[in-house]
């Protein structure tokens, strides 16, 4: 098996595509569903109004990167350390950096959400502590930050000791840190709150595994033909399951909110509310991602399995960028009123 690299590494292009897509998604989302500013009512200010969704999407992206880099060793396997270790020597410290960003953005989100809840008050640690003590979203973000910090410690151990720190432990901690995320924004319909929350948990986990796994493979393995021929078929199975989970749960949650909207009837609410437009935007992104994924799965994967050169990097970067747009739209969607 040959793992000779045939071109320059794609770390930065994949990361740039994901981050650019996410920020573009936030910008598009704020156009489709602009924040409501009521005349005569004290507003938290533009820094909070626009800084919070940017912080939240960076939180989601950093957590997704951690998940993807944690899954990577399972995709590569452990029976060829001479081939996989050069990749993992890059992946492990990258995961530590992403975990640190996750911690910082989660804590920053707490401060900004506390300021949003009490417009006109100072942005302070005291307000943030009070927000954590009294609001479930604050506790959810703190728990997520704590999981990210635990991962950071485990990640440093993995940098020093390699795969003697189990990949399963890193996956478990990173996934566990994602579980509180829906509590901090989604599932506002209380009639079916329990079902909606379970659905959102699955949605977040599926999206993180799908996006993070693809991003990690393309950033670190794309030009190592031998490893890619082994890892991509394994990831393809994860991607297929994730696609189904993300699509079903996304449709369930979005339609649930729109159908039960007491102000604007469905399907009119799809086209006349910011929430509906954001939902349509996410649906379009999901459709495009599915088409691109199918192209990679059915057209490129057979060639990759034969160690042939393909345009996998270009197609995958496009897919990751659209995934980023979907992440950005999702952040705005989680904060948008349904009516």
């Amino acid at each position: 098996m040959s793992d000779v690299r045939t071109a320059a590494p794609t770390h930065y292009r994949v990361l740039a595509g994901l981050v650019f897509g996410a920020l573009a998604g936030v910008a598009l989302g704020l156009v489709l569903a602009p924040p409501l500013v009521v005349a005569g009512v004290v507003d938290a200010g533009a820094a909070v109004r626009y800084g919070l969704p940017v912080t939240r999407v960076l939180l989601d992206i950093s957590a997704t990167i951690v998940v993807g880099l944690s899954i990577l060793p399972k995709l590569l396997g452990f029976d060829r350390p001479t081939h996989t270790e050069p990749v993992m020597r890059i992946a492990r410290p990258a995961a530590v950096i992403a975990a640190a960003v996750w911690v910082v953005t989660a804590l920053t989100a707490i401060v900004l959400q506390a300021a949003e809840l009490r417009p006109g008050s100072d942005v302070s640690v005291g307000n943030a502590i009070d927000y954590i003590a009294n609001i479930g979203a604050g506790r959810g973000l703190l728990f997520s930050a704590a999981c990210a910090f635990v991962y950071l410690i485990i990640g440093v151990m993995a940098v020093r000791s390699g795969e003697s720190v189990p990949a399963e432990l890193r996956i478990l901690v990173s996934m566990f840190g994602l579980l509180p995320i829906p509590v901090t924004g989604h599932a506002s319909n209380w009639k079916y709150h329990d079902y909606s929350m379970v659905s959102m948990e699955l949605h977040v986990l599926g999206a993180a595994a799908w996006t993070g796994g693809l991003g990690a493979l393309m950033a670190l393995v794309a030009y190592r033909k031998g490893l890619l021929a082994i890892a991509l078929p394994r990831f393809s199975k994860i991607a297929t399951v994730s696609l189904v989970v993300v699509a079903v749960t996304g449709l369930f949650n979005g339609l649930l909110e729109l159908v039960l909207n007491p102000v604007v009837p469905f399907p009119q609410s799809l086209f006349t509310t910011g929430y509906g437009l954001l939902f349509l935007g996410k649906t379009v992104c999901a459709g495009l991602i599915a088409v691109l994924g199918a192209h990679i799965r059915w057209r490129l994967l057979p060639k990759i399995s034969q160690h042939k050169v393909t345009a996998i990097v270009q197609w995958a970067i496009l897919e990751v960028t659209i995934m980023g747009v979907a992440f950005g739209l999702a952040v705005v969607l989680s904060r948008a009123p349904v009516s």
Side-chain angles (χ1 to χ4, degrees):
M1 180 180 69
S2 172
D3 284 317
V4 177
R5 284 158 61 167
T6 58
T10 58
H11 316 33
Y12 302 113
R13 282 192 288 162
V14 174
L15 180 61
L18 183 59
V19 173
F20 174 79
L23 295 177
V26 169
L28 176 60
L30 292 174
V31 170
L32 295 175
L36 183 63
V37 179
V38 181
V41 176
V42 178
D43 179 65
V48 173
R49 192 183 317 128
Y50 300 109
L52 183 52
V54 170
T55 300
R56 287 301 302 264
V57 81
L58 292 177
L59 187 163
D60 292 347
I61 292 299
S62 59
T64 297
I65 291 172
V66 171
V67 170
L69 293 172
S70 301
I71 294 172
L72 186 59
K74 301 294 288 184
L75 298 175
L76 297 177
F78 302 97
D79 54 341
R80 297 177 178 86
T82 56
H83 296 283
T84 58
E85 191 56 26
V87 175
M88 294 310 303
R89 277 199 293 266
I90 300 173
R92 294 187 202 107
V96 170
I97 294 171
V101 175
W102 183 356
V103 172
V104 171
T105 51
L107 295 178
T108 303
I110 292 174
V111 174
L112 292 176
Q113 288 186 196
E116 183 183 50
L117 186 65
R118 293 182 175 179
S121 63
D122 294 332
V123 177
S124 65
V125 175
N127 276 346
I129 293 174
D130 188 59
Y131 180 75
I132 292 168
N134 294 287
I135 306 297
R139 292 191 292 273
L141 283 169
L142 182 63
F143 183 83
S144 184
C147 289
F149 185 73
V150 171
Y151 185 98
L152 193 153
I153 296 172
I154 295 172
V156 171
M157 294 169 58
V159 170
R160 294 178 176 178
S161 305
E163 292 308 311
S164 60
V165 179
E168 293 83 358
L169 176 62
R170 281 129 63 192
I171 295 171
L172 179 64
V173 173
S174 61
M175 289 288 194
F176 206 58
L178 291 175
L179 294 179
I181 298 298
V183 180
T184 67
H186 287 85
S188 61
N189 192 292
W190 288 96
K191 186 174 182 180
Y192 298 99
H193 181 263
D194 291 342
Y195 299 107
S196 185
M197 286 304 301
V198 171
S199 178
M200 274 310 310
E201 302 283 7
L202 294 173
H203 188 80
V204 169
L205 292 175
W210 187 9
T211 305
L214 180 62
L217 278 179
M218 292 304 104
L220 299 176
V221 187
Y223 288 114
R224 299 176 184 269
K225 293 189 293 182
L227 285 180
L228 188 63
I230 293 172
L232 192 58
R234 293 172 178 171
F235 172 73
S236 181
K237 297 175 183 178
I238 296 175
T240 301
V241 174
S242 297
L243 170 61
V244 174
V245 170
V246 170
V248 171
T249 55
L251 286 172
F252 172 78
N253 280 279
L255 292 176
L256 180 68
E257 297 286 349
L258 290 167
V259 170
L260 297 182
N261 180 358
V263 179
V264 184
F266 182 83
Q268 181 183 346
S269 56
L270 268 175
F271 308 99
T272 59
T273 66
Y275 190 98
L277 293 174
L278 291 168
F279 174 73
L280 288 175
K282 277 195 66 182
T283 303
V284 170
C285 286
L288 292 174
I289 292 167
V291 170
L292 291 170
H295 175 74
I296 292 174
R297 171 65 181 85
W298 301 111
R299 299 293 297 274
L300 302 184
L301 183 56
K303 296 179 181 179
I304 290 170
S305 298
Q306 299 172 14
H307 296 201
K308 293 181 179 179
V309 176
T310 67
I312 178 69
V313 172
Q314 289 74 18
W315 286 104
I317 289 176
L318 177 59
E319 184 175 351
V320 167
T321 302
I322 297 174
M323 287 173 165
V325 174
F327 271 73
L329 291 174
V331 165
V332 182
L333 180 73
S334 70
R335 298 166 45 77
V338 181
S339 57

